Amino acid sequence: MAGLEDLYREIILDHYRSPRNRGELPSPPAHRVEGFNPLCGDEIVVSLQVEGDVLTDIKIGGSGCSISQSSASLMSAAVKGKPVEEVRELIGTFKAMMSIHEATLPRDSDGDEVDPSLDATPVDVDALGELAALQGVVKFPVRIKCATLSWNTLAQGLDEVGAG
Amino acid sequence: MAGLEDLYREIILDHYRSPRNRGELPSPPAHRVEGFNPLCGDEIVVSLQVEGDVLTDIKIGGSGCSISQSSASLMSAAVKGKPVEEVRELIGTFKAMMSIHEATLPRDSDGDEVDPSLDATPVDVDALGELAALQGVVKFPVRIKCATLSWNTLAQGLDEVGAG
Amino acid sequence: MSSPPAATTLDVATVRKEFALLTGERDGHPVTYLDSAASSQRPARVLDAMRSYEETTHANVHRGVYRVAEEATRRFEAARVAAGRFVGAPVPDREVVFTKNATEGINLVAHTWGKRNLGRGDAVVLTEMEHHANVVPWLMLAEERGLELRWIPVDDDGLLVLDDLDRLVDGAKLVGVTAMSNVLGTLNPLAEISAVAHAAGAVVVADGAQSVPHVPTDVTALGCDFLAFSAHKMLGPTGIGVLWGREELLADLPPFLGGGEMILDVRKDGFTPNDIPWRFEAGTPPIVEAIGLHAAVDYLDELGMAAVRAHEIDLTAYALGVLSDRFGDELTIHGPADAVRRGGVISFTHRDIHPHDLSQVLDQYGVCIRAGHHCAKPLMRRLGVTATARASFGPYNDHADVDRLADALAEAARFFA
Amino acid sequence: MSSPPAATTLDVATVRKEFALLTGERDGHPVTYLDSAASSQRPARVLDAMRSYEETTHANVHRGVYRVAEEATRRFEAARVAAGRFVGAPVPDREVVFTKNATEGINLVAHTWGKRNLGRGDAVVLTEMEHHANVVPWLMLAEERGLELRWIPVDDDGLLVLDDLDRLVDGAKLVGVTAMSNVLGTLNPLAEISAVAHAAGAVVVADGAQSVPHVPTDVTALGCDFLAFSAHKMLGPTGIGVLWGREELLADLPPFLGGGEMILDVRKDGFTPNDIPWRFEAGTPPIVEAIGLHAAVDYLDELGMAAVRAHEIDLTAYALGVLSDRFGDELTIHGPADAVRRGGVISFTHRDIHPHDLSQVLDQYGVCIRAGHHCAKPLMRRLGVTATARASFGPYNDHADVDRLADALAEAARFFA
Ligand SMILES: Cc1ncc(COP(=O)(O)O)c(C=O)c1O
Ligand SMILES: Cc1ncc(COP(=O)(O)O)c(C=O)c1O
């Protein structure tokens, strides 16, 4: 059994207690997009400001558990001021880190897990920096949706403003 | 286990092979009413002619199994020319003979039958004459709907013409 | 029936023995299952009854004349009667519709009674504490038909505010109300609400998903017109629910879904619907599930619903006491303070720890509670939270379960401090 | 997956051992179960899988973060993927909707796709051999919306008359067709019909209730847009069915029933539907039934659907031979004469004995067959009968079953002579 320490790393608890980039941007000109996790009721509001090819500003609203909130906070710190293309890449890398478990794993009918390594794509964890602290979440599949909520919401926001 | 002979008495097979009062009456003046048994697809068409307080004529159409057809034939012979009030009584008596089993018997969840005698109303079987041959049907609960189809259809017809 | 006379108190230790999951352990911790409001466990006798049916009696129902099929049909219909009697249905063989769950039962009312009787501008009254099952069907119908939705408010103690009920139901056609809140535990005064609703000419759709498993139920006393509930919350299997409806109302309704079983005749240009209750049961019904539900209500009758209720009042009072003694202001407990006014469901929020995290930590100690919006988002908004933690009881829970809950909460507080 | 490679022939004696009802006897006669088209029996391994789930893993799904609930959710979703793979679904985790039975699946299409796309004067094409499940939903919609229904005729050999198909589907919006008739056994050329329908711009709703249990199925090869089937006809439990739909189509559809699980958010003035497939699954789904279905498709995969099919062709050919040899003109056998063109379903009528009586007499000899209209009244009218007798096979039936059927038929003929 994976221990609580695998899930609740220090960085995570820190971002949970002191979230970065908290709030909303005036919209317009910023774009506002909401995400829900129907499982647990977590809500994320991402305000994003894209100028040219760059995500110039981002703020996070809403409320939720330590994983969803810290993931959103870590994300905001990682993407703010970055070119949209780089942001999209980071979203991809982060979701890849989570994705082994995000889809339901195939199982046989006895409930035995089919070897997940078959589906795993190698992920460049180094590229994630602080975000790698969220790696432990994959051992708690039900929390993966918490961790990816803000990322999916950001991706949707970028799509909606037609960025990148 | 009840034997086939309990179900298929000679009189029944006779009425099945040579049904009485077969056909339809011109309508109007006769009244025409249809009955279905959704379980097996049996169809009964009862044409009835009520004049004053008397069921002066009746004919039976449709098709079905030996039980539904013989029951209809026996019924037609028993009610033709009778006062409507007497017909209604006979319908009641016949249905009482069938009714112990027509409603689903209460059972406990192991499927054990709860004593049916508790609900049984005493029926004057002598008053039924030849119709008593259908008594064996109650041992085959699934066929009770076959036996009562024509009777229910007749009752509905009497209601529709406002007789009795 | 064949049940022995009901006991007046519950022998929890004996009850518990029939529930395999609860007697096992996970990673060295006993399993403390406190999520029966979401779905109960089933006793061995329910599983045995289902298995025995499968091995000796299974065939499709309402179709065959051979004895196996006839026996299957009789047992299926006997389950209907038993389910009806369990809630005091006056005409159980005609008033009980088998659905797939409580949710489908309410949708069935919306699709049949609702479509026939509700049109533009008509008002439907709901409470702020309804489960989505008694909200979304009406929102969908409101969107389709232009209905007005009105809401009975919830006060700070988690009780319905009924002072204004007369005005709220005035001119309304339907009132949807849960007999017991799955979040607050609140037991609502159904009889009172039904009387006011009926005086205004409205029908009452009661959501019994939480109350039927835990509180003795008599539809006549409740006064409602429809009552929906689910077997899986009352020691029965998934895949089956019940919609009870008053005979006169059901008899007048058009069919719901179309297919086999619900018809008398089908032609290329039309069809003749079957009699109630089959008119509302299209296709092969949940047969073995009905057998399981029958065994579950027999078991609950044997335990005695009065005893089940008394046990839950005791457990709820104990839990309310332990939680406030040990955690004081750290925990906010939602819903009525008095255990007699509520069922065995306790929602709470921790000052510092999100319910999701709380549940995660508790799970490490084998304590299973639910965290989330509990399919009651309008109520979450009313409470000003996005989620709560919720512990809920079944007849197999005891004081030791409550103690383990409190111990694990203390560990969580330590971890997140 | 973990299944051993599929066998090419069926070892019926071994298969049969897993079916308790079939190894028992009634009143001195072995049970000759020939009604699998109505509902199959289930093997011990399916019942065991369900029991084991109940005893170790049950909790409600998609709600809890504790491990029992998480495991329940994973097994439930794994069953979805397995059911989808069994019929070759390209995107099994998104394209498989769990319903309560095949009938609900077709109703779901009528209520969502139908309500969005079908309006006054639009044409729906059905076949004369459809089961009521693929007739009544369209009759109901036709009545509500004023649709035109057109019918693909059935010829005297029990085959669809497709010469005029182009004309029939011209301008039609939807074609509903069964992959296999539950009365005639006829296997219909789905791929051909789908191609013509698609060329005309119509979607194809295939009824797979009979075909999926008996014939290897690949939705891509069939070319249909929706496929509905039921677990209880394929060695799985009652209470669960599957609607497969093409992802692009499903993704665009509005919800069906309203309640928990199918929403992302609920407000007092509206709601946000969930993603597919959950959007169509309101309330607690049939969880343990999904586990049973998973075990059933694993078992069928292990037996090998090609072997199942080969076995049924053999059995059907044998039965057609025995019945015509022994009874000649006394029996009329409906449907195609060639066993390869049909599934393991044989409907017949006796010159002198009503099907209902036939079935009753056969039952005295332990032979279980169905008598009636088989929920296909339009077809009954086409055949000019009100009922037929029907024997149908499962992977557990063998030549001895057919011989017992023929012997009992001979007894019936003697009794009624
Ligand atoms: C061809 C066909 N379609 C649909 C159905 C309906 O299946 P269910 O009753 O499981 O919904 C059946 C079986 O009764 C069938 O044979
Ligand atoms: C109050 C209430 N109503 C309705 C439901 C829905 O029950 P089901 O999901 O079994 O349809 C639930 C349970 O989830 C409930 O708690």
Side-chain angles (χ1 to χ4, degrees):
Chain A
M1 183 177 81
L4 290 174
E5 300 70 23
D6 295 320
L7 184 61
Y8 297 115
R9 304 274 172 82
E10 231 359 276
I11 299 180
I12 292 179
L13 293 177
D14 175 50
H15 275 260
Y16 178 46
R17 292 187 186 116
S18 327
R20 324 295 198 261
N21 301 302
R22 185 82 196 157
E24 291 206 20
L25 297 171
S27 152
H31 183 69
R32 187 178 181 283
V33 50
E34 295 182 11
F36 294 101
N37 181 347
L39 177 80
C40 59
D42 283 3
E43 292 173 7
I44 287 281
V45 183
V46 176
S47 307
L48 57 149
Q49 178 89 37
V50 175
E51 287 168 50
D53 293 339
V54 176
L55 179 61
T56 51
D57 204 358
I58 181 168
K59 286 221 182 288
I60 306 292
S63 68
C65 67
S66 62
I67 304 299
S68 72
Q69 298 302 300
S70 63
S71 181
S73 171
L74 282 157
M75 174 184 85
S76 70
V79 300
K80 187 169 163 179
K82 290 270 162 67
V84 169
E85 203 187 311
E86 235 175 84
V87 173
R88 289 217 181 253
E89 255 167 47
L90 192 64
I91 294 174
T93 311
F94 183 80
K95 291 190 66 179
M97 177 171 85
M98 294 291 150
S99 71
I100 314 176
H101 286 267
E102 189 172 23
T104 304
L105 288 174
R107 294 193 164 205
D108 61 29
S109 58
D110 298 333
D112 294 332
E113 205 163 308
V114 172
D115 185 359
S117 63
L118 294 174
D119 297 343
T121 0
V123 175
D124 181 4
V125 175
D126 289 346
L128 289 167
E130 278 203 323
L131 288 165
L134 285 159
Q135 222 181 342
V137 173
V138 296
K139 294 185 192 151
F140 298 83
V142 96
R143 306 302 293 273
I144 292 173
K145 286 213 164 137
C146 307
T148 53
L149 177 62
S150 53
W151 296 82
N152 287 329
T153 309
L154 174 60
Q156 185 191 332
L158 290 176
D159 288 349
E160 286 173 8
V161 299
Chain B
M1 182 176 83
L4 289 175
E5 300 70 24
D6 295 320
L7 184 62
Y8 297 115
R9 304 275 171 81
E10 233 354 278
I11 300 179
I12 292 179
L13 293 177
D14 174 50
H15 275 261
Y16 178 45
R17 293 188 185 113
S18 326
R20 324 293 197 262
N21 301 302
R22 185 82 196 155
E24 291 207 19
L25 296 171
S27 152
H31 184 68
R32 188 179 180 283
V33 50
E34 294 181 13
F36 295 101
N37 182 347
L39 178 78
C40 58
D42 283 2
E43 292 173 7
I44 287 281
V45 183
V46 176
S47 307
L48 57 151
Q49 178 90 38
V50 175
E51 288 168 48
D53 294 339
V54 176
L55 179 60
T56 51
D57 204 358
I58 182 168
K59 286 221 182 287
I60 306 291
S63 69
C65 68
S66 62
I67 303 300
S68 72
Q69 297 303 299
S70 63
S71 181
S73 172
L74 282 157
M75 174 184 85
S76 69
V79 301
K80 187 170 164 179
K82 290 270 163 65
V84 168
E85 203 188 313
E86 236 176 82
V87 173
R88 289 218 183 252
E89 255 167 46
L90 192 64
I91 294 174
T93 311
F94 183 80
K95 291 190 66 178
M97 178 170 85
M98 295 291 150
S99 71
I100 313 176
H101 286 267
E102 189 173 23
T104 303
L105 289 174
R107 294 193 164 207
D108 62 28
S109 59
D110 298 333
D112 295 330
E113 204 163 308
V114 171
D115 185 359
S117 63
L118 294 175
D119 298 342
T121 1
V123 175
D124 181 4
V125 175
D126 290 343
L128 289 167
E130 277 202 322
L131 289 166
L134 285 159
Q135 223 182 342
V137 173
V138 296
K139 294 185 192 151
F140 298 83
V142 95
R143 306 302 293 273
I144 291 173
K145 286 213 164 136
C146 306
T148 53
L149 177 61
S150 53
W151 296 82
N152 288 329
T153 309
L154 174 60
Q156 186 191 332
L158 290 176
D159 288 350
E160 285 173 9
V161 300
Chain C
M1 312 284 293
S2 61
S3 317
T8 49
T9 56
L10 226 53
D11 175 2
V12 181
T14 305
V15 168
R16 203 173 174 107
K17 284 202 191 96
E18 288 217 40
F19 295 83
L21 185 81
L22 307 183
T23 52
E25 54 166 55
R26 297 227 151 185
D27 308 308
H29 296 284
V31 176
T32 303
Y33 188 75
L34 295 173
D35 197 18
S36 294
S39 195
S40 70
Q41 301 296 324
R42 302 121 203 33
R45 69 181 71 195
V46 166
L47 303 175
D48 290 345
M50 293 170 75
R51 179 103 191 196
S52 141
Y53 165 81
E54 291 283 10
E55 293 186 343
T56 62
T57 318
H58 177 65
N60 214 327
V61 294
H62 294 302
R63 289 176 176 80
V65 299
Y66 54 92
R67 280 160 297 156
V68 176
E70 183 188 314
E71 177 66 13
T73 303
R74 296 232 280 169
R75 293 197 55 191
F76 176 69
E77 291 297 329
R80 188 192 303 281
V81 171
R85 287 194 182 148
F86 188 70
V87 296
V91 196
D93 55 330
R94 289 174 54 79
E95 296 184 325
V96 169
V97 179
F98 282 133
T99 59
K100 65 178 170 183
N101 52 29
T103 302
E104 192 191 20
I106 296 171
N107 278 273
L108 197 161
V109 178
H111 277 253
T112 57
W113 194 94
K115 291 220 169 146
R116 174 154 296 177
N117 295 287
L118 295 174
R120 177 154 302 280
D122 281 339
V124 165
V125 179
L126 304 172
T127 86
E128 281 184 342
M129 65 169 79
E130 292 312 300
H131 186 279
H132 293 163
N134 208 12
V135 174
V136 182
W138 309 113
L139 283 174
M140 290 172 79
L141 203 60
E143 194 177 303
E144 198 183 306
R145 306 230 151 174
L147 310 179
E148 178 199 349
L149 294 191
R150 301 176 189 166
W151 300 84
I152 302 178
V154 172
D155 72 16
D156 290 338
D157 295 327
L159 301 173
L160 290 179
V161 180
L162 297 175
D163 310 342
D164 250 6
L165 187 60
D166 278 320
R167 197 186 47 77
L168 266 174
V169 301
D170 184 40
K173 292 256 178 92
L174 183 142
V175 176
V177 52
T178 188
M180 172 179 153
S181 163
N182 66 315
V183 176
L184 306 168
T186 316
L187 292 165
N188 290 319
L190 254 282
E192 183 187 328
I193 295 170
S194 297
V196 176
H198 286 159
V203 305
V204 175
V205 180
D207 177 349
Q210 290 300 332
S211 63
V212 171
H214 301 287
V215 182
T217 302
D218 181 304
V219 288
T220 309
L222 290 180
C224 55
D225 301 289
F226 298 98
L227 178 75
F229 55 100
S230 276
H232 71 91
K233 294 188 200 276
M234 51 195 283
L235 314 184
T238 54
I240 189 167
V242 166
L243 176 71
W244 169 85
R246 274 204 294 119
E247 187 182 12
E248 319 85 81
L249 284 176
L250 283 185
D252 254 6
L253 295 182
F256 174 40
L257 304 183
E261 189 91 12
M262 50 67 72
I263 54 90
L264 286 183
D265 188 29
V266 176
R267 300 167 308 278
K268 283 186 180 173
D269 62 353
F271 67 96
T272 312
N274 202 341
D275 200 356
I276 61 171
W278 307 289
R279 186 187 305 161
F280 308 108
E281 297 178 357
T284 302
I287 306 171
V288 69
E289 291 78 6
I291 304 300
L293 173 58
H294 192 165
V297 300
D298 277 359
Y299 183 52
L300 286 170
D301 273 335
E302 191 181 316
L303 296 177
M305 285 306 293
V308 167
R309 175 71 186 127
H311 166 70
E312 284 186 12
I313 291 176
D314 168 69
L315 209 51
T316 305
Y318 181 71
L320 292 172
V322 167
L323 294 181
S324 53
D325 285 357
R326 287 184 61 176
F327 301 97
D329 287 351
E330 244 177 274
L331 282 190
T332 304
I333 296 177
H334 304 284
D338 180 357
V340 176
R341 305 207 62 171
R342 60 192 295 160
V345 168
I346 302 181
S347 278
F348 52 92
T349 39
H350 189 278
R351 196 184 48 206
D352 306 319
I353 315 174
H354 188 275
H356 219 158
D357 293 310
L358 213 48
S359 171
Q360 184 87 59
V361 176
L362 264 54
D363 184 39
Q364 304 295 109
Y365 298 93
V367 176
C368 307
I369 64 163
R370 175 59 41 104
H373 55 63
H374 314 295
C375 299
K377 285 203 123 191
L379 178 62
M380 292 294 116
R381 294 209 168 89
R382 165 67 185 83
L383 297 175
V385 298
T386 56
T388 73
R390 181 186 72 182
S392 58
F393 306 124
Y396 32 66
N397 291 118
D398 58 15
H399 287 207
D401 288 325
V402 173
D403 293 337
R404 281 194 292 268
L405 166 67
D407 291 345
L409 281 172
E411 294 294 339
R414 196 165 311 143
F415 185 85
F416 274 95
Chain D
M1 310 284 292
S2 61
S3 317
T8 50
T9 56
L10 226 53
D11 175 1
V12 181
T14 305
V15 168
R16 203 173 174 105
K17 284 203 190 94
E18 287 218 39
F19 295 84
L21 184 82
L22 307 183
T23 51
E25 53 168 56
R26 297 226 150 186
D27 307 308
H29 296 284
V31 176
T32 304
Y33 188 76
L34 296 173
D35 197 18
S36 294
S39 196
S40 70
Q41 301 296 325
R42 302 122 202 36
R45 71 181 70 195
V46 166
L47 302 175
D48 290 346
M50 293 169 74
R51 179 105 190 194
S52 141
Y53 165 81
E54 291 282 10
E55 294 187 343
T56 62
T57 318
H58 177 65
N60 213 328
V61 295
H62 293 301
R63 289 176 175 81
V65 299
Y66 54 91
R67 281 160 297 155
V68 176
E70 183 189 313
E71 176 66 12
T73 303
R74 297 232 280 169
R75 293 197 55 190
F76 176 69
E77 291 298 328
R80 188 192 303 281
V81 171
R85 287 194 181 146
F86 188 71
V87 296
V91 197
D93 57 329
R94 289 175 54 81
E95 295 184 325
V96 168
V97 179
F98 282 133
T99 60
K100 65 178 169 183
N101 52 28
T103 302
E104 192 191 19
I106 297 171
N107 278 272
L108 197 161
V109 178
H111 277 254
T112 56
W113 194 94
K115 291 222 169 143
R116 174 153 296 177
N117 295 287
L118 296 174
R120 177 154 302 280
D122 281 339
V124 165
V125 180
L126 304 173
T127 86
E128 281 184 343
M129 65 168 79
E130 292 312 300
H131 186 280
H132 293 162
N134 208 12
V135 174
V136 182
W138 309 113
L139 283 173
M140 290 172 79
L141 203 60
E143 196 178 302
E144 198 182 306
R145 307 231 151 173
L147 310 180
E148 178 198 350
L149 294 191
R150 300 176 190 165
W151 299 85
I152 302 178
V154 172
D155 72 17
D156 290 338
D157 295 326
L159 300 173
L160 291 179
V161 180
L162 297 175
D163 309 343
D164 250 6
L165 188 60
D166 279 319
R167 197 186 47 76
L168 266 174
V169 303
D170 184 40
K173 293 255 178 93
L174 183 142
V175 176
V177 52
T178 188
M180 172 179 153
S181 163
N182 66 315
V183 176
L184 305 168
T186 316
L187 292 165
N188 290 318
L190 255 283
E192 184 186 328
I193 295 170
S194 297
V196 176
H198 286 158
V203 305
V204 175
V205 180
D207 177 349
Q210 291 299 333
S211 63
V212 170
H214 300 287
V215 182
T217 301
D218 181 302
V219 288
T220 310
L222 291 180
C224 55
D225 301 289
F226 297 98
L227 178 75
F229 55 100
S230 276
H232 73 91
K233 295 188 200 278
M234 51 194 286
L235 314 184
T238 54
I240 188 167
V242 167
L243 176 71
W244 169 84
R246 274 203 294 120
E247 187 183 13
E248 318 85 81
L249 284 176
L250 284 184
D252 254 5
L253 294 182
F256 174 40
L257 304 182
E261 188 90 15
M262 50 67 72
I263 54 92
L264 285 183
D265 187 29
V266 176
R267 301 167 307 279
K268 282 186 179 174
D269 62 352
F271 67 95
T272 313
N274 202 341
D275 200 357
I276 62 171
W278 308 288
R279 186 188 304 162
F280 308 107
E281 296 178 357
T284 302
I287 306 170
V288 68
E289 291 77 6
I291 304 300
L293 172 57
H294 192 165
V297 300
D298 277 0
Y299 183 50
L300 286 169
D301 273 336
E302 191 180 315
L303 295 178
M305 284 307 292
V308 168
R309 174 72 186 126
H311 166 71
E312 285 186 11
I313 292 177
D314 168 70
L315 209 51
T316 305
Y318 180 72
L320 292 172
V322 167
L323 294 180
S324 54
D325 285 356
R326 287 184 62 175
F327 301 96
D329 288 350
E330 245 177 90
L331 282 190
T332 304
I333 297 177
H334 304 283
D338 180 358
V340 176
R341 304 206 63 169
R342 60 192 293 160
V345 168
I346 301 180
S347 278
F348 52 93
T349 40
H350 190 277
R351 196 184 48 206
D352 306 318
I353 315 174
H354 188 276
H356 218 157
D357 293 311
L358 214 48
S359 171
Q360 184 87 58
V361 177
L362 262 54
D363 183 39
Q364 303 295 108
Y365 298 93
V367 177
C368 306
I369 64 163
R370 175 58 42 104
H373 55 63
H374 314 296
C375 299
K377 285 204 125 190
L379 178 62
M380 292 292 116
R381 295 209 167 89
R382 165 66 185 83
L383 297 175
V385 298
T386 55
T388 73
R390 182 186 72 182
S392 58
F393 306 125
Y396 32 66
N397 291 118
D398 57 15
H399 287 209
D401 289 324
V402 173
D403 293 337
R404 281 194 292 269
L405 166 66
D407 291 345
L409 280 172
E411 295 292 339
R414 196 165 310 142
F415 186 85
F416 274 94

